[in-house]
Amino acid sequence: MPEGGTKAEIRLRPPRNTLNERAVGWWRAQWLLTTAVPVVPLAVLGVLIEPARFWLLLPAAVIAAAGGGAALLLPLWWFRTHRWEVTEDAVYVRTGFFWQEWRIAPMSRIQTVDTVRGPLEQLYRLATVTVTTASSRGAVRIEGLDHEVAAELAERLTRITRNTPGDAT
């Protein structure tokens, strides 16, 4: 214990790293594809079924407008709030704006490190690093990383965890 008999106070600082800027385009593409799933069938049916045209095209237009607005605004907001960092002791991830979530995975608790690149991520040259721990909360995911940064990160995490003794608690 430090002088005075009190425990040392530990302060958590925000993680330093931002995601790759291409993550904004990747998130927008995801939103637009998700929006297209209900809009396209409604629009096609609205064109083909004249008596129901208004009742099919109206929701298609509303969904398209809402999805387009979300695709424009939300990815910018997410980009400003998502942060990550890896130290010799832990992996830190912060997400969310209204409901902020901080996830910290101590190196001694890491079980596996995976890199995933779905089709859209490949198109945008991005990747997701998933750090699986012994936590009941599940894995820590860092999405929207440049694919080369993700590969280097996975290699670094593997090297650090190999040299980190397991948690004895």
Side-chain angles (χ1 to χ4, degrees):
M1 273 194 231
E3 252 182 282
T6 61
K7 290 184 178 181
E9 187 175 311
I10 298 174
R11 294 212 178 257
L12 187 63
R13 63 171 172 72
R16 295 182 181 175
N17 302 316
T18 61
L19 304 178
N20 188 283
E21 302 87 23
R22 292 187 307 271
V24 173
W26 173 56
W27 286 325
R28 282 187 175 146
Q30 288 178 316
W31 264 105
L32 292 174
L33 287 172
T34 302
T35 301
V37 170
V39 169
V40 169
L42 285 169
V44 168
L45 290 173
V47 169
L48 295 176
I49 306 171
E50 188 175 339
R53 184 167 289 152
F54 175 79
W55 299 109
L56 292 168
L57 292 180
L58 178 64
V62 170
I63 294 168
L72 271 176
L73 300 176
L74 290 179
L76 291 173
W77 195 351
W78 295 335
F79 183 76
R80 291 183 182 149
T81 59
H82 283 62
R83 296 284 182 270
W84 68 276
E85 185 172 355
V86 172
T87 67
E88 295 298 315
D89 299 316
V91 176
Y92 301 86
V93 177
R94 185 190 74 191
T95 60
F97 184 77
F98 292 117
W99 287 271
Q100 288 188 356
E101 180 178 28
W102 292 62
R103 299 286 310 272
I104 302 166
M107 291 297 174
S108 62
R109 305 292 286 172
I110 293 176
Q111 296 176 335
T112 61
V113 177
D114 301 305
T115 304
V116 177
R117 296 184 69 206
L120 267 181
E121 283 177 302
Q122 290 179 43
L123 182 67
Y124 283 90
R125 298 185 329 270
L126 297 172
T128 298
V129 173
T130 303
V131 179
T132 307
T133 66
S135 167
S136 62
R137 290 279 310 198
V140 173
R141 294 171 48 92
I142 307 171
E143 298 178 326
L145 296 175
D146 178 85
H147 67 99
E148 291 176 358
V149 170
E152 291 168 8
L153 178 59
E155 185 179 315
R156 179 177 176 216
L157 285 171
T158 301
R159 187 177 58 253
I160 293 171
T161 55
R162 187 180 328 125
N163 297 328
T164 301
D167 195 358
T169 58

